[in-house]
Amino acid sequence: MIIERNYSKYVISAEESIVSAINKIIDFEGSTIIALDANGVMQGLFTKGDFLRWTVKQEKIDLSQPISTLLNKNYVYAKTTDEPETIKALLSAKVKLIPILDHQKRPKGIARLKQPNEGVRIGDFTISENHPAFVIAEIGINHNGSVETGKKLIDACVEAGADSAKFQMRDMEALYVNAGNANDASENLGSQYTLDVLSRSQLSTEEMIELFDYCKQKGILPLCTPWDVTSLDILENYGMQAYKVASADLTNHDLLIEMAKTNKPIICSTGMSTEQEVLDAVQIFQRFGTPYVMLQCNSTYPAPFKDINLKYMNRLQEIANCPIGYSGHERGYHVVMAAIALGANLVEKHITLDRNMQGNDHKVSLEPNEFQDMIKQIREVEESLGGGEKRVSQGELMNRVTLAKSLVIKQDLKAGEVITAEMLDVKSPGRGLQPNYKNELIGRKAKHDFKAGDFFYPADIKDGEDTVVIARNYDVKRPWGVPVRWYDYKKMAAKSNLDFLEFHLSFKDMDQDLNTIFAKDEVYDLDYTVHSPDTFAGDHLLSPSHPDKAHRARSIKELQRVVDLTNALKPHFSKATKPFIIASMGGFTRDRLLHPSERKARYEQLAESLAEVDQTGVEIIPQTLPPFPWYFGGQLYLNLFVDPYDTVEFCETYGYRLCLDISHAKLACNHFKWSWEKYLSLTGPYTAHLHIADSEGVDGEGLQINEGGIDFVALGRALDEYCPNAWFIPEIWQGHENDGEGFWKAMERLEGMY
């Protein structure tokens, strides 16, 4: 049983419409709501079952009539004076939720059955295995009795990314037999030391409330450990949303019962306690229907690593039947990472401004920069845990092309001839079918002509004519082209009604003599664009914004080479006037994303670098980028042309237009939870060129159209509104393979929308 005193999500006015009641049930994924009159008096219950039974009896369904017309007024309820056992007995498989009413039949809460693996809700956070770990920064008494220090610690908690800043409240007179007298010579040495620290770290009730309010002002959830009933009463009057039980109070059943009676979530440390004592506390919480979280803890300061016993968390979850976590007093925070990996749903560590301050809590605390690093690593470990299923990541797919092997044919073969085992060989790279498909190829008829050394592709082992995508002319509204390389531009140019070719250059391509690629009189009735290489010889990543002067100078030199080569192509394209050069402008980092203030300096440096490039005859257009790109077989962080606001600011300030990469942009929106429509409305007016592909998650880029998370019908409407004149290419990863199969498939799906 769970008793909730905050029952607003279950309540509706009896005069609201039936459709409003249905929507309310859908919104909180429940099945029952409580209808009240204008005075807050209970009028009846409304359930999904009531609605279905009413629906089948109606000849004409009118969902606009008030919910009062079909309320169940013969409902089961509990009284505020009922004992928890009495309330629990009213619940059943049939009656899953009941209101708790006062003598005037006004609700004071609801009781409901607990769901399997149900999380615990605190404020806007849910503590469960399906949510990021809830991180508590334990300030405790590390404010040293200073409100100013307390506020600095709260600021540090916010900066670090903690979910909650937690304090401790004691009524020294009520708590200690000697009324908290720090000078009592009769106390033993340990108590004297503790009383001395506590007496110097006390804040008044007003000062504590000032710190709680400051937390709310700064956007972090305040929590507190009450060490006595007097403190609990103060926190209840304040409106604290949940409580923490210190390990020392796990056996203080009188305090636990008073906490449980609030029916607010309780986070309970289990240090210094036996398993039976843990079970006794759990029974109290369950009796009162109070949500709870249990934390494995060792209450020594600092705790020896040999005594921490993280593996007990599994047992703790089994016997307590609740979310579990870890409260740590050990040195460092690597044990916290292990707790996360073992399934902790909540972690708590102390925070201090200076570990050298007096007091045990300071000695086992993390300083602000350490706390920030801990949270960063928590989130990285959570990401690394995954969902438990085996999958191949986008980065691995890219590496597989480079490192794996493919099936190739040793000899020429005509369409219709049978493929035999003797014709097949296994060679790198892994651009085509993997070797494990060999038996599926043997005995099949070739679907097209092969030359010795050609790769096989998935279409070669699929049945039916529709498995082969053949290029044709496409009906699109805006100028379009496809990506090409030196080795395939002639073949691709002849396949469809292209308006331009987009040369995607590698640094090796840059070294080739154009006279060996194009005949002197070779001219195409097309325009063209050029995509600059991202990487150059010696693992140099193009980055004209780089803080290192030498790296920046090399990037400027390489970009100038791209400009010169682009101009040299003009004689071969009759429609060319001022071709675009699409370039990634760097701004990469290896360990973290940059703060907006750091990005501003990078943009300024980029503008200075681009001013050194002679751009006569071309237009350089930076492309929008994803936050987590793939380079050199692994992942980096990108910072420039990711955020739409600073991207637009750069364009307005320095007069540049954009290549809007749809896949990259959607990945950025997914990661930062930005509005997709807003992103497009901001960047669209500055967009000259489009790279169009689907995407998934935060780094799944270049996917085939309609095979990721983008709604391309809606996207087409947005692009028509915000950048109607922009050119585009389908930039599908590996789209050029098998005679451009991926590009033609994309055009089949985009035709009519773009």
Side-chain angles (χ1 to χ4, degrees):
M1 174 182 70
I2 296 291
I3 293 178
E4 297 183 41
R5 299 298 177 184
N6 182 4
Y7 55 87
S8 58
K9 71 178 181 179
Y10 300 98
V11 170
I12 194 169
S13 167
E15 298 309 309
E16 286 281 340
S17 66
I18 296 172
V19 70
S20 295
I22 291 293
N23 286 332
K24 191 170 187 72
I25 285 177
I26 292 170
D27 285 344
F28 76 89
E29 299 178 350
S31 61
T32 305
I33 55 175
I34 301 165
L36 307 180
D37 67 12
N39 296 315
V41 176
M42 180 86 179
Q43 297 299 297
L45 290 178
F46 175 70
T47 68
K48 288 180 182 178
D50 294 328
F51 175 70
L52 293 173
R53 285 186 289 272
W54 172 80
T55 300
V56 297
K57 296 177 182 178
Q58 307 303 304
E59 292 184 7
K60 183 178 180 182
I61 297 174
D62 179 10
L63 298 180
S64 65
Q65 59 185 300
I67 193 66
S68 57
T69 59
L70 62 154
L71 289 177
N72 174 10
K73 298 189 177 183
N74 184 26
Y75 54 86
V76 177
Y77 70 93
K79 301 173 184 177
T80 53
T81 55
D82 287 343
E83 289 295 316
E85 292 82 356
T86 303
I87 299 174
K88 187 174 183 179
L90 297 173
L91 293 167
S92 65
K94 185 176 180 181
V95 181
K96 297 179 180 180
L97 182 149
I98 57 175
I100 302 173
L101 307 179
D102 65 14
H103 68 284
Q104 294 178 314
K105 285 207 168 181
R106 289 188 171 93
K108 297 300 178 182
I110 65 98
R112 60 177 176 81
L113 292 176
K114 183 179 179 182
Q115 301 301 311
N117 301 317
E118 180 176 340
V120 171
R121 184 82 175 171
I122 301 177
D124 295 329
F125 299 95
T126 299
I127 301 169
S128 81
E129 62 183 16
N130 299 319
H131 292 79
F134 185 74
V135 179
I136 297 176
E138 167 67 24
I139 292 173
I141 59 172
N142 282 354
H143 48 68
N144 293 344
S146 165
V147 171
E148 181 182 356
T149 300
K151 289 182 177 180
K152 288 180 181 178
L153 282 165
I154 292 167
D155 291 339
C157 296
V158 173
E159 182 68 21
D163 298 314
S164 170
K166 192 182 79 63
F167 300 85
Q168 298 174 17
M169 182 179 279
R170 296 171 175 83
D171 184 299
M172 298 294 288
E173 187 173 344
L175 189 59
Y176 281 90
V177 294
N178 67 357
N181 180 9
N183 299 313
D184 186 351
S186 67
E187 282 293 343
N188 63 36
L189 294 178
S191 295
Q192 277 189 339
Y193 175 81
T194 300
L195 282 168
D196 179 64
V197 172
L198 291 177
S199 65
R200 291 184 289 100
S201 303
Q202 280 294 95
L203 290 172
S204 68
T205 297
E206 292 73 23
E207 288 172 323
M208 291 293 289
I209 289 174
E210 183 178 349
L211 290 179
F212 299 155
D213 289 343
Y214 188 74
C215 285
K216 293 179 179 179
Q217 178 186 333
K218 290 294 183 176
I220 190 169
L221 178 71
L223 290 176
C224 193
T225 297
W227 283 74
D228 50 81
V229 174
T230 302
S231 298
L232 176 62
D233 290 341
I234 293 170
L235 296 173
E236 265 296 278
N237 289 331
Y238 175 76
M240 194 60 60
Q241 296 197 49
Y243 296 109
K244 171 73 193 300
V245 177
S247 292
D249 275 321
L250 189 74
T251 58
N252 185 355
H253 290 184
D254 288 344
L255 180 59
L256 294 189
I257 288 169
E258 292 305 312
M259 279 187 175
K261 284 180 179 179
T262 70
N263 294 120
K264 290 179 178 175
I266 293 175
I267 301 164
C268 192
S269 284
T270 61
M272 304 185 290
S273 301
T274 67
E275 185 168 289
Q276 185 57 53
E277 289 166 345
V278 171
L279 288 170
D280 291 343
V282 166
Q283 287 177 0
I284 290 172
F285 302 146
Q286 290 179 341
R287 177 190 168 210
F288 285 92
T290 301
Y292 58 95
V293 180
M294 304 301 285
L295 308 183
Q296 170 63 355
C297 178
N298 182 276
S299 298
T300 49
Y301 302 80
F305 297 121
K306 67 180 180 62
D307 294 337
I308 289 171
N309 195 17
L310 280 183
K311 286 186 177 179
Y312 186 72
M313 287 195 305
N314 294 329
R315 171 69 176 166
L316 185 59
Q317 186 171 43
E318 178 186 332
I319 64 173
N321 189 28
C322 68
I324 47 93
Y326 175 65
S327 178
H329 303 122
E330 71 288 339
R331 298 176 180 91
Y333 55 80
H334 52 291
V335 172
V336 172
M337 300 303 117
I340 293 292
L342 287 171
N345 310 134
L346 182 155
V347 291
E348 176 185 53
K349 283 285 283 185
H350 288 255
I351 188 169
T352 182
L353 297 179
D354 184 352
R355 205 162 24 242
N356 294 316
M357 291 179 178
Q358 183 181 356
N360 279 343
D361 284 2
H362 288 291
K363 291 179 176 62
V364 299
S365 297
L366 300 177
E367 293 181 352
N369 63 319
E370 296 170 322
F371 212 100
Q372 187 171 34
D373 287 344
M374 181 190 74
I375 292 179
K376 178 177 180 290
Q377 292 186 36
I378 285 172
R379 301 311 178 207
E380 289 172 353
V381 169
E382 287 177 330
E383 276 192 280
S384 74
L385 292 175
E389 74 284 354
K390 178 63 177 170
R391 67 182 185 88
V392 182
S393 72
Q394 182 75 6
E396 287 181 307
L397 288 173
M398 293 176 177
N399 282 348
R400 191 155 92 163
V401 170
T402 303
L403 302 174
K405 297 177 175 65
S406 300
L407 291 166
V408 298
I409 193 163
K410 297 179 183 178
Q411 64 186 64
D412 293 351
L413 190 69
K414 294 292 184 182
E417 293 182 343
V418 175
I419 301 167
T420 65
E422 294 73 26
M423 298 176 182
L424 302 179
D425 205 349
V426 175
K427 298 284 186 182
S428 285
R431 289 164 48 187
L433 278 179
Q434 299 283 295
N436 54 315
Y437 286 99
K438 183 176 181 179
N439 290 337
E440 292 190 46
L441 267 177
I442 295 171
R444 286 182 174 269
K445 292 182 179 180
K447 292 187 177 183
H448 55 85
D449 293 347
F450 284 88
K451 291 183 179 179
D454 280 354
F455 292 90
F456 291 95
Y457 293 97
D460 293 313
I461 57 172
K462 291 181 180 178
D463 296 319
E465 294 298 323
D466 59 345
T467 61
V468 180
V469 179
I470 300 174
R472 59 175 175 81
N473 289 349
Y474 299 96
D475 181 17
V476 291
K477 298 177 285 187
R478 58 177 78 221
W480 74 284
V482 291
V484 296
R485 297 285 305 281
W486 291 151
Y487 66 81
D488 68 357
Y489 75 90
K490 293 179 184 179
K491 179 171 61 176
M492 298 293 278
K495 284 183 175 293
S496 187
N497 56 330
L498 306 172
D499 295 294
F500 64 93
L501 297 175
E502 181 160 305
F503 290 93
H504 282 221
L505 302 177
S506 71
F507 72 87
K508 292 285 189 181
D509 294 339
M510 298 285 297
D511 295 331
Q512 294 194 48
D513 183 354
L514 280 187
N515 293 323
T516 65
I517 298 168
F518 289 86
K520 187 175 182 180
D521 59 351
E522 186 179 347
V523 180
Y524 294 87
D525 190 27
L526 296 170
D527 209 328
Y528 71 100
T529 59
V530 170
H531 195 303
S532 169
D534 292 331
T535 60
F536 292 84
D539 286 352
H540 178 83
L541 263 174
L542 185 72
S543 185
S545 62
H546 202 284
D548 179 73
K549 185 177 180 180
H551 192 113
R552 204 163 59 244
R554 169 84 186 274
S555 294
I556 293 170
K557 179 182 177 181
E558 299 292 4
L559 191 54
Q560 187 64 64
R561 289 179 63 212
V562 175
V563 171
D564 296 342
L565 185 150
T566 301
N567 277 321
L569 282 170
K570 278 185 182 176
H572 301 290
F573 293 89
S574 63
K575 292 186 177 179
T577 54
K578 195 174 184 180
F580 298 141
I581 296 177
I582 298 100
S584 299
M585 293 302 177
F588 57 86
T589 45
R590 298 188 182 277
D591 56 352
R592 64 180 178 88
L593 291 169
L594 295 178
H595 188 272
S597 61
E598 298 173 287
R599 298 201 303 260
K600 184 174 179 61
R602 295 281 186 108
Y603 276 117
E604 291 171 354
Q605 187 63 71
L606 172 61
E608 292 180 18
S609 297
L610 289 176
E612 295 185 39
V613 178
D614 181 359
Q615 302 179 36
T616 303
V618 302
E619 182 180 357
I620 295 177
I621 53 173
Q623 71 168 326
T624 58
L625 297 169
F628 310 111
W630 301 100
Y631 288 120
F632 302 130
Q635 201 170 71
L636 295 176
Y637 297 87
L638 270 179
N639 301 280
L640 305 189
F641 301 99
V642 176
D643 185 301
Y645 288 97
D646 59 33
T647 297
V648 166
E649 182 180 359
F650 179 86
C651 293
E652 289 181 341
T653 303
Y654 301 107
Y656 283 87
R657 294 195 293 171
L658 296 170
C659 170
L660 174 55
D661 188 299
I662 295 302
S663 181
H664 293 170
K666 190 63 166 67
L667 295 176
C669 288
N670 289 349
H671 175 69
F672 293 106
K673 296 180 172 54
W674 294 330
S675 162
W676 181 224
E677 178 69 24
K678 186 66 174 178
Y679 186 107
L680 296 174
S681 69
L682 289 169
T683 57
Y686 299 91
T687 296
H689 191 61
L690 295 161
H691 284 172
I692 297 180
D694 214 333
S695 65
E696 193 69 58
V698 298
D699 59 11
E701 61 180 275
L703 304 186
Q704 183 56 264
I705 307 301
N706 293 334
E707 294 183 12
I710 296 175
D711 180 342
F712 281 91
V713 175
L715 174 65
R717 290 195 295 265
L719 296 179
D720 285 345
E721 179 177 356
Y722 301 127
C723 51
N725 300 315
W727 300 11
F728 83 96
I729 63 164
E731 196 180 32
I732 311 302
W733 180 67
Q734 293 295 96
H736 62 284
E737 296 290 358
N738 203 17
D739 286 338
E741 179 183 23
F743 300 142
W744 313 129
K745 184 181 292 186
M747 291 306 299
E748 295 279 352
R749 298 177 181 185
L750 292 173
E751 189 175 29
M753 291 188 290
Y754 291 82

Coordinates of all heavy atoms in Angstrom, one line a residue, residues 246-251 269-278 296-297 299 312:
A246 N 19.0 9.4 9.1 CA 20.4 9.1 9.3 C 20.5 7.7 9.8 O 19.6 7.1 10.5 CB 21.0 10.1 10.4
S247 N 21.7 7.1 9.5 CA 21.9 5.7 10.0 C 21.7 5.6 11.5 O 21.2 4.6 12.0 CB 23.3 5.3 9.6 OG 23.5 5.1 8.2
A248 N 22.1 6.6 12.2 CA 22.0 6.5 13.7 C 20.6 6.4 14.2 O 20.3 6.0 15.3 CB 22.7 7.8 14.3
D249 N 19.6 6.8 13.3 CA 18.2 6.8 13.7 C 17.4 5.6 13.1 O 16.2 5.6 13.3 CB 17.5 8.1 13.4 CG 17.7 9.2 14.4 OD1 17.7 8.8 15.6 OD2 18.0 10.3 14.0
L250 N 18.1 4.7 12.5 CA 17.3 3.6 11.9 C 16.6 2.8 13.0 O 15.5 2.2 12.7 CB 18.3 2.7 11.1 CG 17.6 1.6 10.3 CD1 17.0 2.2 9.0 CD2 18.6 0.5 9.9
T251 N 17.1 2.7 14.2 CA 16.4 1.9 15.2 C 15.6 2.8 16.1 O 15.0 2.4 17.1 CB 17.5 1.2 16.1 OG1 18.4 2.2 16.7 CG2 18.3 0.2 15.3
S269 N 19.4 5.7 5.4 CA 20.7 5.0 5.4 C 20.7 3.9 6.4 O 20.0 3.9 7.4 CB 21.7 6.0 5.8 OG 22.0 6.9 4.7
T270 N 21.5 2.8 6.1 CA 21.4 1.6 6.9 C 22.8 1.3 7.6 O 23.0 0.2 8.0 CB 21.0 0.4 6.0 OG1 22.0 0.3 5.0 CG2 19.7 0.6 5.4
G271 N 23.6 2.3 7.7 CA 24.9 2.1 8.4 C 24.7 1.8 9.9 O 23.7 2.1 10.5
M272 N 25.6 1.0 10.4 CA 25.6 0.6 11.8 C 24.4 -0.3 12.2 O 24.2 -0.5 13.4 CB 25.5 1.9 12.8 CG 26.7 2.9 12.5 SD 26.7 4.2 13.7 CE 25.2 5.1 13.2
S273 N 23.7 -0.9 11.2 CA 22.5 -1.6 11.5 C 22.6 -3.1 11.1 O 23.3 -3.4 10.1 CB 21.3 -1.0 10.9 OG 21.1 0.3 11.3
T274 N 21.9 -3.9 11.7 CA 21.8 -5.3 11.3 C 20.7 -5.5 10.3 O 19.9 -4.6 10.1 CB 21.5 -6.2 12.5 OG1 20.2 -5.9 13.0 CG2 22.5 -6.0 13.6
E275 N 20.7 -6.6 9.6 CA 19.6 -6.8 8.6 C 18.3 -6.9 9.3 O 17.3 -6.3 8.7 CB 19.9 -8.2 7.9 CG 18.9 -8.4 6.8 CD 19.3 -9.5 5.9 OE1 20.3 -9.4 5.1 OE2 18.6 -10.6 5.9
Q276 N 18.2 -7.4 10.5 CA 16.9 -7.4 11.1 C 16.4 -6.0 11.5 O 15.2 -5.7 11.4 CB 16.9 -8.3 12.4 CG 15.6 -8.4 13.1 CD 14.5 -9.1 12.2 OE1 14.7 -10.1 11.6 NE2 13.4 -8.4 12.0
E277 N 17.3 -5.2 11.9 CA 17.0 -3.8 12.1 C 16.5 -3.0 10.9 O 15.6 -2.2 10.9 CB 18.2 -3.0 12.8 CG 18.4 -3.5 14.2 CD 19.8 -3.1 14.7 OE1 20.6 -2.7 13.9 OE2 20.0 -3.2 16.0
V278 N 17.1 -3.4 9.7 CA 16.7 -2.8 8.5 C 15.2 -3.3 8.2 O 14.4 -2.5 7.8 CB 17.6 -3.3 7.3 CG1 17.0 -2.9 6.0 CG2 19.0 -2.7 7.5
Q296 N 22.6 1.5 1.1 CA 23.7 0.8 1.7 C 24.7 1.9 2.2 O 25.0 2.9 1.5 CB 24.4 -0.1 0.8 CG 25.7 -0.7 1.2 CD 25.6 -1.6 2.5 OE1 24.6 -1.7 3.1 NE2 26.7 -2.2 2.9
C297 N 25.3 1.7 3.4 CA 26.1 2.7 4.0 C 27.0 2.1 5.0 O 26.6 1.2 5.7 CB 25.2 3.8 4.6 SG 26.1 5.1 5.5
S299 N 29.0 3.6 8.3 CA 29.1 4.8 9.1 C 30.4 5.0 9.8 O 30.5 5.1 11.0 CB 27.9 4.9 10.0 OG 26.7 4.9 9.3
Y312 N 26.0 -5.8 -1.1 CA 24.8 -6.0 -0.2 C 23.7 -5.3 -0.8 O 22.5 -5.6 -0.5 CB 25.1 -5.5 1.2 CG 24.0 -5.8 2.1 CD1 23.7 -7.1 2.5 CD2 23.1 -4.8 2.6 CE1 22.6 -7.4 3.4 CE2 22.0 -5.0 3.4 CZ 21.8 -6.3 3.8 OH 20.7 -6.6 4.6

